[in-house]
Amino acid sequence: MLLKSLANSDTSRIVTAILHSGTCVPKPSLPMRLALLVAGTALPLIVFAAVIVFENYQQDRKDASQRVLETVRSIRLVLDAEVQRMTGGLQVLALTGALRNGDFAAFRPIVSGFLEPYGADSVVLVSDRDGRQLFSSITTDAASLPARNNHDIVEKVFATRTPQFSNLFIGAVKNKPIVTVEVPVVRDGKVIYDISFSPPIGIFQDILEKQRPSTDWTISIFDADNVNFARIPNPRETAGKRAAPSLYAEMARKSEATLPTVSLEGVPLITSFARSDLTGWTVAAGIAESSLVGPLWRNLAITSVIGGILLLTGLAFAVRMATTIARGELLHSLLIDELNHRVKNTLAILQAIATQTFRSASKLEREKFEGRLGALAEAHNLLSQEKWRGSELQDVVSRVLQPYLLSNPERMRMLGPTVPLSPRVAVILSMIVHEMATNAAKYGALSNDTGTIALDWEVINEGGQPRLQLIWREAGGPPVTAPVQRGFGSRLIERSTRDQLGGEATVDFLPRGVVYTVICVLED
């Protein structure tokens, strides 16, 4: 009977495994689980560090954009101050009596004093409304001088009676690109001359060189038509060229802005520009994107390397720990297998002894003993399957009641929460439930075709210690009468609950059916 029960249990497990083989996912190995744990812990930290690096890059980019704009505004102020100095000097020249009286010979030494700080490449011209040059600082032969070739600005000076600042053009005297500062000469309330000063372009180059923060910056000065006349780097190659298309379009719409652009050399820049209200010229400066992206990639690489080292170190420790645990689990499994083997041998010996002992006993008595032994074997099988870590109450009950439910499982209703049981409690409860089911099959609700059983349980707290309350209710069986003498099964239920589980068990023989109430202490 015992061997048959064990065989049926093994067969049931094999059938269940076959039925679920298509849907069960293999359980990952211990090294894999530990590796996933390490990776699941380390990778988010690496990602978090990378996010912080990227956030720092974004903040650096924002700070760089603000720094570029502040630099542009600073250069514009320096440029305006220099141009105002030139304009102020010309206005002083315009007030001299020699110029207002047309005495150009007397005017020449005064001009020489004005030009001395600017060098030999600077020129002062005086022209009339028609653009005819009346005076030049580079020659005394005024008759041989050509007419002004930027006549539009001369007319503007006479019309507005205010200083004007030219765009880049080819000078008639210098025969090379120049910009000019033009100031009217007024006598008796009328503009009689236009005095023009063309400073060396090098002055503006020097301003940019002094204001340039570092070599990865590109700085330019554009005239009112957005044509470059001073720039670093490559001033010679870029003089006279318009701004890059991305920058030119924005300069045409706004007087100040910050935007990503591409320089004439094809270098990506973060660029800011600001237009001067005094001259109409625009100062633009850009810092190379690479100066910001380079540190980003460097920091990301450092973060990745450090994170990778930490991850590999963690994985190495995980593998080593998994190996140690696996050895322990192997030893544990060997001990469990040895225990299972010894218990099965003991149960087989008990069955053999029982067979010899009960040889002269009735069939009913032998079946009672073998049934109890079978319940013990089923509890042992369940605990063996769980590696003696305990089991869940419903699994224990289902194993014991399985033979009674094969033909009509609807006759049994089980309801209760998930309750984990220790190995000792699981074995004792399996014996108790077996006795209840055996009595029901012989005398109670399971002895006919209409009886039903309701098995309910709950966990209650008494004195801060959890206790299990299990109630077995029968209904629909033969009429119930209280027995004159308590049988071995009832005494087994009561004594096992009291002595082994530290609880109590009661049996009520109600007319509608027997009710068993078992209350026991749950072990941790």
Side-chain angles (χ1 to χ4, degrees), residues 67-325:
R67 187 166 69 253
V68 171
L69 181 59
E70 292 173 354
T71 300
V72 163
R73 290 171 176 171
S74 175
I75 296 175
R76 183 192 61 187
L77 292 176
V78 173
L79 177 64
D80 286 351
E82 181 62 31
V83 173
Q84 284 178 332
R85 188 165 71 89
M86 297 176 186
T87 305
L90 290 178
Q91 288 174 330
V92 171
L93 293 179
L95 294 175
T96 58
L99 178 59
R100 298 174 72 181
N101 296 326
D103 187 356
F104 295 113
F107 181 61
R108 185 173 297 279
I110 300 175
V111 170
S112 298
F114 169 79
L115 293 177
E116 185 175 355
Y118 297 102
D121 200 31
S122 56
V123 177
V124 170
L125 301 176
V126 177
S127 57
D128 59 16
R129 180 183 292 271
D130 296 328
R132 187 162 49 92
Q133 296 190 44
L134 304 176
F135 172 84
S136 172
S137 61
I138 60 175
T139 180
T140 57
D141 186 9
S144 63
L145 294 174
R148 295 282 301 274
N149 58 359
N150 58 338
H151 192 252
D152 292 342
I153 196 170
V154 176
E155 291 183 346
K156 196 171 182 179
V157 170
F158 276 87
T160 62
R161 302 179 61 174
T162 59
Q164 300 296 319
F165 309 93
S166 77
N167 294 327
L168 188 68
F169 67 99
I170 303 298
V173 176
K174 291 185 177 181
N175 197 29
K176 60 182 180 181
I178 61 171
V179 292
T180 59
V181 178
E182 315 273 344
V183 171
V185 179
V186 181
R187 186 178 61 192
D188 299 331
K190 294 182 180 181
V191 179
I192 58 174
Y193 302 127
D194 169 24
I195 181 170
S196 170
F197 173 54
S198 61
I201 296 297
I203 290 178
F204 305 107
Q205 276 305 133
D206 290 341
I207 292 175
L208 299 186
E209 291 287 354
K210 292 176 181 178
Q211 298 295 320
R212 188 185 191 187
S214 62
T215 57
D216 55 1
W217 284 63
T218 299
I219 308 177
S220 301
I221 301 177
F222 299 94
D223 64 18
D225 287 337
N226 296 331
V227 175
N228 175 75
F229 66 86
R231 186 180 189 270
I232 50 175
N234 304 323
R236 295 181 181 274
E237 293 80 358
T238 56
K241 293 184 178 180
R242 291 190 182 278
S246 55
L247 178 60
Y248 181 86
E250 196 70 14
M251 289 170 63
R253 292 193 297 267
K254 299 178 181 179
S255 60
E256 183 177 279
T258 300
L259 69 159
T261 64
V262 178
S263 70
L264 296 174
E265 293 85 3
V267 178
L269 303 173
I270 298 177
T271 301
S272 293
F273 65 85
R275 184 174 297 117
S276 169
D277 294 332
L278 174 67
T279 62
W281 298 343
T282 300
V283 177
I287 183 173
E289 289 267 12
S290 59
S291 65
L292 301 176
V293 176
L296 169 65
W297 289 117
R298 183 172 61 254
N299 292 336
L300 285 177
I302 294 173
T303 301
S304 300
V305 170
I306 295 176
I309 292 173
L310 294 177
L311 179 60
L312 292 176
T313 303
L315 291 176
F317 277 112
V319 171
R320 184 174 181 180
M321 185 181 298
T323 302
T324 303
I325 295 175

Side-chain angles (χ1 to χ4, degrees), residues 405-445:
L405 303 178
L406 292 177
S407 59
N408 193 356
E410 289 78 13
R411 299 178 64 183
M412 172 68 72
R413 178 186 65 81
M414 292 182 290
L415 180 63
T418 299
V419 181
L421 302 176
S422 67
R424 189 179 69 86
V425 175
V427 170
I428 298 172
L429 281 180
S430 68
M431 297 294 294
I432 292 173
V433 173
H434 169 74
E435 291 301 327
M436 295 176 182
T438 300
N439 291 337
K442 290 181 179 180
Y443 316 111

